Amino acid sequence: MIILGIESSCDETAAAVVEDRTRILSSVVASQVDVHHRYGGVVPELASRMHVEAIIPVVDEAIQKAGISLDQINGVAATRGPGLIGALLVGFSFAKAFAHARNLPLAGVNHLEAHIYSLFLMDDPPALPLITLVVSGGHTNIYYVASKTQFELMGQTRDDAAGEAFDKVSKMLDLGYPGGPVIEKLARTASPNIQFPRSLLEKNSFDFSFSGLKSAVARFIHEQKISSPKDKARVAASFQAAVIDVLGTKLIQAAQARNCPRIGISGGVSANQTFAQALRERAGKEGIRVFAPPASLCGDNAAMIAARGSVMIEQGDLCIHEHDVFSRNKI
C-alpha cells in the first residue's frame, strides 16, 4: 500500500510517500524558519499564508521524488491536529480535495501519535510495549504505548512545553529562533555551573512544569546583568542541564513503573544530541534501552503522518467530509 502523507500543523509544509507502513519513498519539508526568525517565534497568520503557497509544490515534489504516478497512490493521510488551526486547515483541506478527486480513502492523523510512529520508521525500531516521550515546542507528553493503536497518556506538561522553554530562554539571551539548536550549540562551550531549579512536582507524578525554571533563568539574567558571550553560554548550559535532568528523571520513573525496558523519544527536542546521549547513559545504568529517530524524523515531517495513516486506513479508521481539524491534543 502506498500512502501520500501531508503535514502542516505549524511552520513546516511537508509531504511524503510511504509504502507498506515503513518504507519511505520520499519526504519533502519546506521550512518557514527564516521567515519567523525575525519575530522570535511562529506568527500563525504568516504560517498559514506560507502553507498555501507551498502545499502544491511540496506535494508535487514528493510524488516526483518517490518515482510513482498518481494512479499508484492508495490512500491519503493528513495531520488533523493538534496544531495551529489556520495552518492545519491548509494541509487537511488539500488532502480532503485530493482524496475526493482521486476517490481515495483519507485518514486524519493525530500529530502526536505520528511522532510516536517516527520510531517505527527507524532501521532498528523498538519492540512494544514502549514508554515514549513526545517532546517539542508545543508538547511534552509521556505515553505508554501498548500497541501501534493503543497510546496511554501517563504525564504531560502543566505549563510550558520543553521546546517552548528553549525558545523563550533563547529569546531572553538574544540568541534567536528556534532556540533548541542554538542553545545546545552554545551550551557545549561552557560548564552547567549555575544551579537552576528542577521541578519534579508530586511524588509518583509523571507531569512536567517548566515555568518555574523559565522564571528562574529570567531573574538570573536580570539580576546578574548577563550580557557577555561567556556568561550567556553558562546560562544556556545550566538551563539545558536542568531540562535534561527533569526529562530523564520522569522518563526512567515511568519506565520503571511499568516495568518496561525500552524508552523512545520523539519530536523536535529529541534531535538534541546532548539530551539523547545523557538519557542513554542514565537509562543504561538501569538496564533500559533508549530509541531516538534520526534528525530527519525528529521534527515535523509527513513520513510519520503517512506511516500512522497507513494503519488507520487498513483498519477503516477514515475521515468523512464533515470532519474538521482540532487545536488541542485528543490522546
Side-chain angles (χ1 to χ4, degrees):
M1 180 184 288
I2 295 178
I3 302 298
L4 170 66
I6 296 172
E7 150 64 18
S8 67
S9 63
C10 190
D11 61 339
E12 276 112 4
T13 313
V17 178
V18 171
E19 184 176 23
D20 297 333
R21 296 188 182 187
T22 59
R23 184 177 171 224
I24 302 174
L25 301 184
S26 68
S27 182
V28 178
V29 179
S31 176
Q32 302 176 9
V33 167
D34 290 344
V35 173
H36 299 291
H37 174 83
R38 72 191 72 169
Y39 303 104
V42 177
V43 181
E45 177 63 21
L46 281 178
S48 301
R49 293 186 181 205
M50 294 193 70
H51 283 306
V52 171
E53 295 175 2
I55 187 69
I56 293 177
V58 166
V59 171
D60 282 345
E61 184 178 351
I63 293 172
Q64 290 172 10
K65 284 188 173 181
I68 63 169
S69 68
L70 291 177
D71 292 336
Q72 290 176 274
I73 297 173
N74 304 117
V76 183
T79 306
R80 192 177 167 198
L84 303 175
I85 288 295
L88 286 165
L89 280 169
V90 176
F92 193 62
S93 298
F94 179 90
K96 271 187 175 181
F98 187 99
H100 179 74
R102 304 292 304 174
N103 194 29
L104 296 171
L106 170 66
V109 176
N110 184 301
H111 182 77
L112 302 186
E113 292 180 3
H115 270 303
I116 295 171
Y117 263 68
S118 66
L119 293 160
F120 305 135
L121 291 170
M122 296 170 57
D123 293 335
D124 180 25
L128 297 176
L130 176 73
I131 296 294
T132 301
L133 173 71
V134 178
V135 56
S136 65
H139 303 90
T140 305
N141 297 1
I142 295 179
Y143 295 97
Y144 177 70
V145 184
S147 73
K148 290 188 177 181
T149 57
Q150 294 176 293
F151 315 95
E152 177 191 340
L153 180 63
M154 295 182 67
Q156 60 188 323
T157 183
R158 297 182 183 177
D159 39 63
D160 291 351
E164 182 182 4
F166 269 93
D167 287 340
K168 289 180 178 177
V169 169
S170 179
K171 192 170 185 177
M172 294 175 198
L173 294 171
D174 295 320
L175 298 177
Y177 171 86
V182 70
I183 284 181
E184 182 185 14
K185 182 179 179 180
L186 186 60
R188 293 194 186 107
T189 68
S191 298
N193 52 17
I194 304 168
Q195 189 58 38
F196 288 129
R198 273 79 162 154
S199 177
L200 297 175
L201 302 174
E202 305 86 8
K203 185 178 180 181
N204 300 322
S205 170
F206 302 118
D207 284 351
F208 299 93
S209 174
F210 294 107
S211 62
L213 170 61
K214 181 190 67 179
S215 298
V217 173
R219 283 196 303 272
F220 187 88
I221 292 171
H222 175 71
E223 292 171 0
Q224 300 298 318
K225 297 180 173 57
I226 300 298
S227 60
S228 72
K230 183 178 179 180
D231 286 340
K232 287 184 178 183
R234 289 177 57 234
V235 172
S238 302
F239 161 74
Q240 178 176 257
V243 174
I244 288 173
D245 189 12
V246 171
L247 293 176
T249 297
K250 294 289 186 178
L251 267 174
I252 291 171
Q253 288 178 346
Q256 291 173 333
R258 293 301 177 94
N259 194 29
C260 185
R262 290 170 295 275
I263 286 173
I265 56 175
S266 59
V269 178
S270 66
N272 185 308
Q273 292 304 300
T274 306
F275 167 46
Q277 183 59 34
L279 181 60
R280 286 191 178 98
E281 292 175 1
R282 188 169 176 179
K285 295 176 182 178
E286 304 295 332
I288 301 170
R289 185 178 175 188
V290 175
F291 294 82
S296 61
L297 294 173
C298 290
D300 293 345
N301 66 90
M304 66 183 189
I305 302 298
R308 176 64 182 121
S310 296
V311 175
M312 296 175 70
I313 289 171
E314 288 173 8
Q315 296 182 335
D317 185 4
L318 305 177
C319 276
I320 58 175
H321 181 73
E322 289 77 13
H323 282 169
D324 204 350
V325 297
F326 57 87
S327 61
R328 295 183 179 275
N329 185 26
K330 292 189 174 184
I331 61 168

